Amino acid sequence: MKDKIKQAYDAILPDAETEERMLRTIKARAENTAQSKRPVARRVLLIAACIALLAAVSAAGVAAYLKWSLPEPKTYPSGNGYYDVHTTETYLQEDIPTATAAQEDTSDEAFARKAVDLLQMLGLTDADTSRMTVIRQKHMGWDREEAVVSFSTNAAPTALTLEEQSGYLIGHSDIRITFDAQSGYLIGLSDIQWVYGEGEPVCKTEEEVCELALSLYESLPVPQGYAYYGCTKYDEQFWTYEFCNEPLEGFFNEYEMVRLSINPVSGKLDNLVVFYVPLLDDHEEGDVPLTQAQAEAVLQAAGRAPENMELTGAEVKIVLPNWMFTDKFPTDGDAVASDVTRLAWVLTYESKGVEEFDSKMEFYVDYYTGELLGGDYY
């Protein structure tokens, strides 16, 4: 990297012969005018100003070169799971302050108060708030400290006959609410309690479910103003709605997203996940984006273009760099997720029956720098 910076700097600077010729010209012109009678010190200042201008131009060139580039990844030991648990503490209701917790307060008691307030706002009355557990842990994959508040539930599975239970799943789990332990941001909520069977749905139509999802999104303490992005219906009682940020017109960032799941039968929020990875767009006016052909050429030059696979898709999207298929991909652990997202060409290749099992590979090529950022395979 240092060598490349030096090459860029040297390319901007004039060589010694050119610089000497420029200075001689400046000096000759100064001596042929009335200004040549000024003290020598003034002429020296003029020459110094010229040199300073050259240096400023050079510095600008180097600064332009030093835009974001894929860094060496941070890693964590693979095979040990995503979480490193620090402490687990249990609190009773009388331990928790009655006032709403301030955003800047990151104590166990404050997170417990925020969790209780959230349960009340969502109408999740099945939670037993007389006793709660606060887990302090590090999410290794995101390099993030978390505070998880856990409640047991009072609700018991609905009593059904054996015939009614046939083919249905009846489940019961604790409610868990996760916060970023440093910023206080709400990261997630899980209250998945399946009760399959007869019952009058709270939401009678798809429109009613969508209205409920929008209402919940707007009431939650999560980033607001995101656009409705889509709905996935996993089954009759688990519909997931996504609200996504659009940092550039026509480009949605799936890593700045609020994803909430609703049970249309009970009308309750079952699950919530919030992503907070912003887009870093440092291109300047005049920067020319890569064409698809140039993006494909990047893969060829890097020796990454897959053999026996057909290019079936190419689109510009916001992606999360992950180092896959790059020379920086870690071999001594798993990579911590990037803290920024980037605009990139996503090139998709498929085997299309060449192999015994069809497969698909995606490659991310930075839209402006042409750097290979990672990819995925299926």
Short mmCIF file of all heavy atoms in Angstrom, two decimals, residues 82-89 108 134-140 143-148 181-182:
data_model
loop_
_atom_site.label_atom_id
_atom_site.label_comp_id
_atom_site.label_asym_id
_atom_site.label_seq_id
_atom_site.Cartn_x
_atom_site.Cartn_y
_atom_site.Cartn_z
N TYR A 82 -20.93 -17.78 18.43
CA TYR A 82 -20.92 -16.34 18.21
C TYR A 82 -20.76 -15.53 19.49
O TYR A 82 -20.39 -14.35 19.45
CB TYR A 82 -22.22 -15.90 17.53
CG TYR A 82 -22.31 -16.28 16.09
CD1 TYR A 82 -23.29 -17.17 15.65
CD2 TYR A 82 -21.45 -15.76 15.14
CE1 TYR A 82 -23.40 -17.52 14.31
CE2 TYR A 82 -21.54 -16.10 13.80
CZ TYR A 82 -22.53 -16.99 13.40
OH TYR A 82 -22.63 -17.32 12.08
N TYR A 83 -21.07 -16.11 20.66
CA TYR A 83 -21.19 -15.32 21.87
C TYR A 83 -20.12 -15.65 22.90
O TYR A 83 -19.79 -16.82 23.13
CB TYR A 83 -22.58 -15.52 22.49
CG TYR A 83 -23.70 -15.10 21.57
CD1 TYR A 83 -24.43 -16.06 20.85
CD2 TYR A 83 -24.02 -13.77 21.40
CE1 TYR A 83 -25.46 -15.68 20.01
CE2 TYR A 83 -25.05 -13.37 20.55
CZ TYR A 83 -25.76 -14.34 19.86
OH TYR A 83 -26.76 -13.95 19.00
N ASP A 84 -19.64 -14.60 23.53
CA ASP A 84 -18.75 -14.73 24.68
C ASP A 84 -19.48 -14.10 25.86
O ASP A 84 -19.57 -12.87 25.95
CB ASP A 84 -17.43 -14.00 24.40
CG ASP A 84 -16.48 -14.06 25.59
OD1 ASP A 84 -16.70 -14.90 26.48
OD2 ASP A 84 -15.52 -13.26 25.63
N VAL A 85 -20.04 -14.95 26.74
CA VAL A 85 -20.86 -14.46 27.85
C VAL A 85 -19.95 -14.00 28.99
O VAL A 85 -19.07 -14.74 29.42
CB VAL A 85 -21.83 -15.55 28.33
CG1 VAL A 85 -22.62 -15.07 29.55
CG2 VAL A 85 -22.78 -15.95 27.20
N HIS A 86 -20.20 -12.77 29.47
CA HIS A 86 -19.39 -12.21 30.56
C HIS A 86 -20.05 -12.45 31.91
O HIS A 86 -19.43 -13.01 32.82
CB HIS A 86 -19.21 -10.70 30.36
CG HIS A 86 -18.69 -10.33 29.00
ND1 HIS A 86 -17.69 -11.02 28.36
CD2 HIS A 86 -19.03 -9.30 28.17
CE1 HIS A 86 -17.45 -10.45 27.17
NE2 HIS A 86 -18.24 -9.41 27.05
N THR A 87 -21.30 -11.99 32.06
CA THR A 87 -21.99 -12.11 33.34
C THR A 87 -23.46 -12.45 33.12
O THR A 87 -24.03 -12.14 32.07
CB THR A 87 -21.92 -10.80 34.15
OG1 THR A 87 -22.53 -9.74 33.40
CG2 THR A 87 -20.47 -10.43 34.47
N THR A 88 -24.05 -13.07 34.13
CA THR A 88 -25.49 -13.35 34.14
C THR A 88 -26.02 -13.00 35.53
O THR A 88 -25.61 -13.62 36.52
CB THR A 88 -25.77 -14.83 33.83
OG1 THR A 88 -25.22 -15.16 32.55
CG2 THR A 88 -27.26 -15.10 33.82
N GLU A 89 -26.89 -11.99 35.58
CA GLU A 89 -27.42 -11.52 36.86
C GLU A 89 -28.95 -11.57 36.84
O GLU A 89 -29.58 -11.26 35.83
CB GLU A 89 -26.97 -10.09 37.15
CG GLU A 89 -25.45 -9.89 37.22
CD GLU A 89 -24.83 -10.52 38.44
OE1 GLU A 89 -25.59 -10.83 39.40
OE2 GLU A 89 -23.60 -10.71 38.47
N ASP A 108 -27.34 -2.46 34.16
CA ASP A 108 -28.26 -3.59 34.06
C ASP A 108 -29.69 -3.15 34.37
O ASP A 108 -30.64 -3.54 33.68
CB ASP A 108 -27.85 -4.69 35.05
CG ASP A 108 -26.70 -5.53 34.55
OD1 ASP A 108 -26.13 -5.19 33.50
OD2 ASP A 108 -26.37 -6.53 35.21
N VAL A 134 -30.43 -10.50 33.32
CA VAL A 134 -29.66 -9.65 32.40
C VAL A 134 -28.34 -10.35 32.10
O VAL A 134 -27.55 -10.63 33.01
CB VAL A 134 -29.41 -8.25 32.98
CG1 VAL A 134 -28.59 -7.41 32.01
CG2 VAL A 134 -30.73 -7.56 33.29
N ILE A 135 -28.13 -10.64 30.83
CA ILE A 135 -26.91 -11.30 30.38
C ILE A 135 -26.03 -10.27 29.66
O ILE A 135 -26.51 -9.58 28.74
CB ILE A 135 -27.23 -12.47 29.43
CG1 ILE A 135 -28.13 -13.49 30.11
CG2 ILE A 135 -25.94 -13.13 28.93
CD1 ILE A 135 -28.68 -14.55 29.17
N ARG A 136 -24.80 -10.16 30.06
CA ARG A 136 -23.82 -9.32 29.38
C ARG A 136 -22.95 -10.24 28.52
O ARG A 136 -22.35 -11.19 29.03
CB ARG A 136 -22.95 -8.56 30.37
CG ARG A 136 -23.70 -7.54 31.20
CD ARG A 136 -23.96 -6.28 30.40
NE ARG A 136 -24.66 -5.28 31.20
CZ ARG A 136 -24.65 -3.98 30.93
NH1 ARG A 136 -23.97 -3.53 29.88
NH2 ARG A 136 -25.31 -3.13 31.68
N GLN A 137 -22.88 -9.96 27.23
CA GLN A 137 -22.14 -10.83 26.33
C GLN A 137 -21.55 -10.03 25.18
O GLN A 137 -21.97 -8.90 24.92
CB GLN A 137 -23.05 -11.92 25.77
CG GLN A 137 -24.20 -11.36 24.92
CD GLN A 137 -25.19 -12.43 24.50
OE1 GLN A 137 -25.32 -13.47 25.15
NE2 GLN A 137 -25.89 -12.20 23.40
N LYS A 138 -20.62 -10.63 24.49
CA LYS A 138 -20.07 -10.03 23.27
C LYS A 138 -20.49 -10.88 22.09
O LYS A 138 -20.31 -12.10 22.11
CB LYS A 138 -18.55 -9.95 23.34
CG LYS A 138 -17.93 -9.29 22.10
CD LYS A 138 -16.44 -9.08 22.26
CE LYS A 138 -15.86 -8.35 21.05
NZ LYS A 138 -14.41 -8.10 21.21
N HIS A 139 -21.07 -10.24 21.09
CA HIS A 139 -21.37 -10.93 19.84
C HIS A 139 -20.10 -10.88 19.00
O HIS A 139 -19.70 -9.82 18.51
CB HIS A 139 -22.53 -10.25 19.11
CG HIS A 139 -23.07 -11.05 17.97
ND1 HIS A 139 -22.30 -11.42 16.88
CD2 HIS A 139 -24.31 -11.57 17.75
CE1 HIS A 139 -23.04 -12.12 16.03
NE2 HIS A 139 -24.25 -12.23 16.54
N MET A 140 -19.45 -12.02 18.85
CA MET A 140 -18.14 -12.06 18.21
C MET A 140 -18.22 -11.69 16.73
O MET A 140 -17.34 -11.03 16.18
CB MET A 140 -17.54 -13.46 18.36
CG MET A 140 -17.50 -13.97 19.80
SD MET A 140 -16.51 -12.95 20.90
CE MET A 140 -14.87 -13.42 20.34
N ASP A 143 -18.60 -7.99 16.63
CA ASP A 143 -17.69 -7.26 17.51
C ASP A 143 -18.48 -6.24 18.33
O ASP A 143 -18.14 -5.06 18.40
CB ASP A 143 -16.59 -6.56 16.70
CG ASP A 143 -15.44 -6.06 17.58
OD1 ASP A 143 -15.28 -6.60 18.69
OD2 ASP A 143 -14.74 -5.11 17.17
N ARG A 144 -19.53 -6.72 18.98
CA ARG A 144 -20.49 -5.84 19.64
C ARG A 144 -20.80 -6.34 21.05
O ARG A 144 -21.09 -7.52 21.25
CB ARG A 144 -21.77 -5.79 18.81
CG ARG A 144 -22.90 -4.95 19.38
CD ARG A 144 -24.08 -4.97 18.42
NE ARG A 144 -24.69 -6.29 18.29
CZ ARG A 144 -25.40 -6.69 17.23
NH1 ARG A 144 -25.59 -5.88 16.22
NH2 ARG A 144 -25.95 -7.91 17.20
N GLU A 145 -20.76 -5.43 22.02
CA GLU A 145 -21.16 -5.76 23.38
C GLU A 145 -22.68 -5.64 23.48
O GLU A 145 -23.27 -4.67 23.01
CB GLU A 145 -20.49 -4.82 24.38
CG GLU A 145 -18.99 -4.99 24.49
CD GLU A 145 -18.58 -6.35 25.07
OE1 GLU A 145 -19.39 -6.93 25.84
OE2 GLU A 145 -17.48 -6.81 24.78
N GLU A 146 -23.30 -6.64 24.11
CA GLU A 146 -24.75 -6.68 24.18
C GLU A 146 -25.23 -6.87 25.62
O GLU A 146 -24.53 -7.44 26.46
CB GLU A 146 -25.29 -7.84 23.33
CG GLU A 146 -24.97 -7.72 21.85
CD GLU A 146 -25.47 -8.90 21.05
OE1 GLU A 146 -25.81 -9.94 21.66
OE2 GLU A 146 -25.51 -8.80 19.80
N ALA A 147 -26.44 -6.37 25.87
CA ALA A 147 -27.15 -6.64 27.12
C ALA A 147 -28.47 -7.31 26.75
O ALA A 147 -29.27 -6.73 26.02
CB ALA A 147 -27.40 -5.35 27.89
N VAL A 148 -28.67 -8.52 27.23
CA VAL A 148 -29.87 -9.30 26.90
C VAL A 148 -30.71 -9.44 28.16
O VAL A 148 -30.25 -9.96 29.17
CB VAL A 148 -29.51 -10.70 26.36
CG1 VAL A 148 -30.77 -11.46 25.98
CG2 VAL A 148 -28.54 -10.60 25.20
N ALA A 181 -25.01 -2.79 24.19
CA ALA A 181 -24.65 -2.40 25.55
C ALA A 181 -23.93 -1.06 25.63
O ALA A 181 -23.87 -0.46 26.71
CB ALA A 181 -23.78 -3.48 26.19
N GLN A 182 -23.41 -0.57 24.52
CA GLN A 182 -22.69 0.71 24.53
C GLN A 182 -23.57 1.86 24.07
O GLN A 182 -23.60 2.92 24.70
CB GLN A 182 -21.44 0.59 23.66
CG GLN A 182 -20.43 -0.39 24.24
CD GLN A 182 -19.24 -0.61 23.31
OE1 GLN A 182 -19.40 -0.75 22.10
NE2 GLN A 182 -18.05 -0.65 23.89
#
